[in-house]
Short mmCIF file of all heavy atoms in Angstrom, two decimals:
data_model
loop_
_atom_site.label_atom_id
_atom_site.label_comp_id
_atom_site.label_asym_id
_atom_site.label_seq_id
_atom_site.Cartn_x
_atom_site.Cartn_y
_atom_site.Cartn_z
N LYS I 364 71.01 94.98 53.46
CA LYS I 364 72.06 95.83 53.93
C LYS I 364 71.37 96.91 54.84
O LYS I 364 70.16 97.09 54.76
CB LYS I 364 72.85 96.53 52.76
CG LYS I 364 71.94 97.14 51.82
CD LYS I 364 72.27 98.67 51.53
CE LYS I 364 72.03 99.63 52.66
NZ LYS I 364 71.06 100.75 52.36
N HIS I 394 71.18 96.18 46.21
CA HIS I 394 70.28 96.21 45.11
C HIS I 394 70.97 97.01 43.90
O HIS I 394 70.52 96.92 42.73
CB HIS I 394 68.88 96.71 45.34
CG HIS I 394 68.85 98.17 45.55
ND1 HIS I 394 69.10 98.78 46.76
CD2 HIS I 394 68.49 99.26 44.85
CE1 HIS I 394 68.82 100.00 46.70
NE2 HIS I 394 68.50 100.43 45.51
N TYR I 395 72.04 97.81 44.24
CA TYR I 395 72.72 98.53 43.16
C TYR I 395 73.43 97.53 42.16
O TYR I 395 73.46 97.82 40.96
CB TYR I 395 73.76 99.51 43.76
CG TYR I 395 73.10 100.81 43.98
CD1 TYR I 395 72.03 100.97 44.78
CD2 TYR I 395 73.61 102.01 43.32
CE1 TYR I 395 71.35 102.15 44.88
CE2 TYR I 395 72.88 103.14 43.38
CZ TYR I 395 71.78 103.27 44.19
OH TYR I 395 71.13 104.55 44.29
N LYS I 398 71.14 96.74 39.22
CA LYS I 398 70.75 97.78 38.26
C LYS I 398 71.28 97.56 36.88
O LYS I 398 72.43 97.07 36.77
CB LYS I 398 71.13 99.20 38.78
CG LYS I 398 70.36 99.67 40.04
CD LYS I 398 70.62 101.07 40.44
CE LYS I 398 70.00 101.36 41.68
NZ LYS I 398 68.59 101.95 41.61
N GLU I 432 70.08 111.99 45.67
CA GLU I 432 68.70 111.73 45.84
C GLU I 432 68.04 113.09 46.15
O GLU I 432 68.51 113.95 46.94
CB GLU I 432 68.40 110.87 46.95
CG GLU I 432 68.93 109.37 46.72
CD GLU I 432 68.54 108.45 47.81
OE1 GLU I 432 69.27 108.38 48.88
OE2 GLU I 432 67.64 107.73 47.71
N ARG I 439 61.54 107.17 57.40
CA ARG I 439 62.49 106.23 57.75
C ARG I 439 63.62 106.91 58.78
O ARG I 439 64.67 106.42 58.99
CB ARG I 439 63.41 105.90 56.46
CG ARG I 439 62.54 105.10 55.43
CD ARG I 439 63.28 104.79 54.24
NE ARG I 439 64.41 103.88 54.28
CZ ARG I 439 65.61 104.07 53.96
NH1 ARG I 439 65.97 105.23 53.34
NH2 ARG I 439 66.48 103.17 54.04
N TYR I 442 65.31 104.64 61.47
CA TYR I 442 66.43 103.80 60.98
C TYR I 442 67.57 104.74 60.65
O TYR I 442 68.76 104.48 60.97
CB TYR I 442 65.93 102.98 59.85
CG TYR I 442 67.19 102.64 58.82
CD1 TYR I 442 68.08 101.72 59.02
CD2 TYR I 442 67.23 103.43 57.63
CE1 TYR I 442 69.17 101.55 58.19
CE2 TYR I 442 68.25 103.13 56.77
CZ TYR I 442 69.29 102.27 56.97
OH TYR I 442 70.26 102.11 56.14
N ASP I 451 74.64 103.91 55.32
CA ASP I 451 73.47 103.64 54.40
C ASP I 451 73.82 103.41 52.89
O ASP I 451 73.19 102.69 52.15
CB ASP I 451 72.44 104.75 54.61
CG ASP I 451 71.16 104.44 53.85
OD1 ASP I 451 70.54 103.38 54.08
OD2 ASP I 451 70.57 105.28 53.11
N MET I 452 74.77 104.16 52.51
CA MET I 452 75.10 104.25 51.03
C MET I 452 76.48 104.01 50.69
O MET I 452 76.80 103.30 49.70
CB MET I 452 74.68 105.68 50.52
CG MET I 452 73.24 106.08 50.53
SD MET I 452 72.11 105.13 49.58
CE MET I 452 72.50 105.53 47.96
N HIS I 456 76.50 100.38 48.71
CA HIS I 456 76.20 100.72 47.22
C HIS I 456 77.38 101.26 46.53
O HIS I 456 77.70 100.88 45.46
CB HIS I 456 75.02 101.60 47.07
CG HIS I 456 73.74 101.14 47.70
ND1 HIS I 456 73.42 99.78 47.72
CD2 HIS I 456 72.73 101.68 48.34
CE1 HIS I 456 72.16 99.62 48.28
NE2 HIS I 456 71.78 100.79 48.73
N LYS I 554 71.00 113.13 50.53
CA LYS I 554 69.59 113.29 50.42
C LYS I 554 69.37 114.76 50.34
O LYS I 554 70.17 115.58 50.54
CB LYS I 554 68.94 112.87 51.73
CG LYS I 554 69.32 111.46 52.19
CD LYS I 554 68.20 110.45 51.78
CE LYS I 554 68.47 109.10 52.27
NZ LYS I 554 68.17 108.00 51.40
N ARG I 559 67.54 113.81 41.29
CA ARG I 559 67.82 112.44 41.51
C ARG I 559 68.80 111.91 40.41
O ARG I 559 68.28 111.83 39.20
CB ARG I 559 66.53 111.49 41.55
CG ARG I 559 66.70 110.07 41.75
CD ARG I 559 65.45 109.32 41.93
NE ARG I 559 65.62 107.98 42.25
CZ ARG I 559 65.43 106.95 41.29
NH1 ARG I 559 64.98 107.25 40.10
NH2 ARG I 559 65.69 105.72 41.63
N GLN I 592 70.67 106.12 36.92
CA GLN I 592 69.27 106.54 37.02
C GLN I 592 69.24 108.07 37.15
O GLN I 592 70.22 108.63 37.57
CB GLN I 592 68.58 105.99 38.14
CG GLN I 592 69.24 106.22 39.49
CD GLN I 592 68.85 105.31 40.57
OE1 GLN I 592 68.39 104.21 40.42
NE2 GLN I 592 68.88 105.77 41.84
C1 BG6 A 203 68.66 102.13 49.99
C2 BG6 A 203 69.03 103.20 51.09
O1 BG6 A 203 69.54 101.02 50.24
O2 BG6 A 203 68.89 102.75 48.75
C3 BG6 A 203 68.07 104.39 50.91
O3 BG6 A 203 68.70 102.58 52.40
C4 BG6 A 203 68.22 104.90 49.48
O4 BG6 A 203 68.41 105.34 51.82
C5 BG6 A 203 68.04 103.81 48.44
O5 BG6 A 203 67.24 105.89 49.32
C6 BG6 A 203 68.33 104.31 47.03
O6 BG6 A 203 67.99 103.36 46.13
P1 BG6 A 203 67.62 103.77 44.73
O7 BG6 A 203 67.52 102.38 43.94
O8 BG6 A 203 66.36 104.46 44.79
O9 BG6 A 203 68.75 104.57 44.16
#
Side-chain angles (χ1 to χ4, degrees):
K364 53 124 294 240
H394 76 278
Y395 268 59
K398 289 190 190 269
E432 298 182 274
R439 293 175 74 232
Y442 148 76
D451 187 51
M452 299 295 289
H456 300 325
K554 305 262 185 216
R559 178 168 183 259
Q592 60 199 23

